[in-house]
Amino acid sequence: MGASTDRAPHEIWEPEIAALEERARRRPPRDGEIVFAGSSSIRSWSTLERDMAPLPVLNRGFGGAQADAILYFAPRIIVPSASGGLVLYAGENDLEAHNRKTAERVLADVRAIVALVEERHPAARIYLVSVKPSPARRTRWREARRLNDLLGTFAAESPRRAYLDVATPTFDARGRRRRELFLEDGLHLSPAGYALWTAVIRPRLLADFATGRG
């Protein structure tokens, strides 16, 4: 997850982006699909379609993605397919100390991504997933919490947006990170972690789409 768009051009992702485009060519977008976009927390969600069933979802995550890279590639891998909605996970990689980014800078990129989708698909629903409190990045948690607050405020600006809090249930009753939700690297999600994300995200999507309110 740690590739930096400040240290390398966006072209470092070209092979991965091209592969996503080829996947889209083999199976063109369907009406009402929901795109999941973001970094490796999304890319590595191998059970996404099963976890979100019966909702029509597409995985458009790519490893190491920062918000500005997601914005850069959004016209190619997100906007064409997000007629139903967008579930966006962005910000965790951006806030690594060496990237020197603030929560406000990340929010500006998130706003731009959302604007692209909403311009193309006015009826699309937007879901902003909170930054997760990865044990390996505990020193950046204060800034991540600031970003989560900003994402929540931004989501509240429109009735077609929602903030999905996967951070709060990542802590136990004593305020400790639940290590079983992460792989040994303390960064990527374990199957239990994805089960938690499913428990937070799927009910909200079902409420908005499965009942015909999407």
Side-chain angles (χ1 to χ4, degrees):
M1 288 177 68
S4 171
T5 56
D6 287 344
R7 293 179 295 157
H10 291 115
E11 283 69 21
I12 63 173
W13 283 289
E14 268 301 330
E16 195 166 356
I17 300 304
L20 290 173
E21 289 182 308
E22 177 59 27
R23 190 184 307 171
R25 278 191 289 270
R26 291 197 304 268
R27 189 186 70 68
R30 296 169 294 182
D31 240 11
E33 282 188 310
I34 306 163
V35 171
F36 279 63
S39 57
S40 58
S41 292
I42 299 297
R43 183 191 64 178
S44 299
W45 197 341
S46 60
T47 58
L48 178 64
E49 289 191 15
R50 184 180 71 210
D51 292 341
M52 294 297 134
L55 297 166
V57 298
L58 289 173
N59 191 320
R60 292 294 183 260
F62 57 102
Q66 295 182 38
D68 60 345
I70 298 170
L71 173 61
Y72 182 83
F73 291 114
R76 294 168 59 184
I77 64 169
I78 296 175
V79 175
S81 303
S83 59
L86 169 66
V87 178
L88 179 64
Y89 183 72
E92 183 175 359
N93 288 329
D94 302 73
L95 297 181
E96 282 191 275
H98 65 263
N99 287 325
R100 300 180 181 178
K101 291 184 181 181
T102 63
E104 288 78 10
R105 177 176 170 183
V106 177
L107 179 66
D109 288 329
V110 169
R111 281 184 174 274
I113 295 165
V114 171
L116 286 175
V117 174
E118 291 181 336
E119 180 179 13
R120 174 74 171 273
H121 306 290
R125 304 193 74 96
I126 306 295
Y127 302 90
L128 305 178
V129 181
S130 68
V131 174
K132 68 184 191 297
S134 300
R137 288 177 172 161
R138 63 176 64 244
T139 61
R140 298 297 290 161
W141 181 231
R142 177 178 294 182
E143 192 68 8
R145 283 189 300 180
R146 288 189 60 243
L147 175 57
N148 286 344
D149 288 342
L150 292 173
L151 292 174
T153 299
F154 172 51
E157 293 175 5
S158 168
R160 300 199 71 81
R161 301 180 197 148
Y163 171 72
L164 302 177
D165 180 14
V166 299
T168 299
T170 304
F171 294 95
D172 65 20
R174 297 177 63 182
R176 300 172 301 188
R177 289 167 175 80
R178 296 168 56 193
R179 290 302 298 256
E180 76 275 10
L181 302 178
F182 297 88
L183 298 179
E184 289 185 5
D185 62 8
L187 182 60
H188 296 94
L189 290 169
S190 67
Y194 283 115
L196 184 150
W197 278 35
T198 299
V200 172
I201 297 172
R202 184 173 182 271
R204 178 57 192 262
L205 268 60
L206 283 175
D208 289 341
F209 289 95
T211 60
R213 293 198 293 123

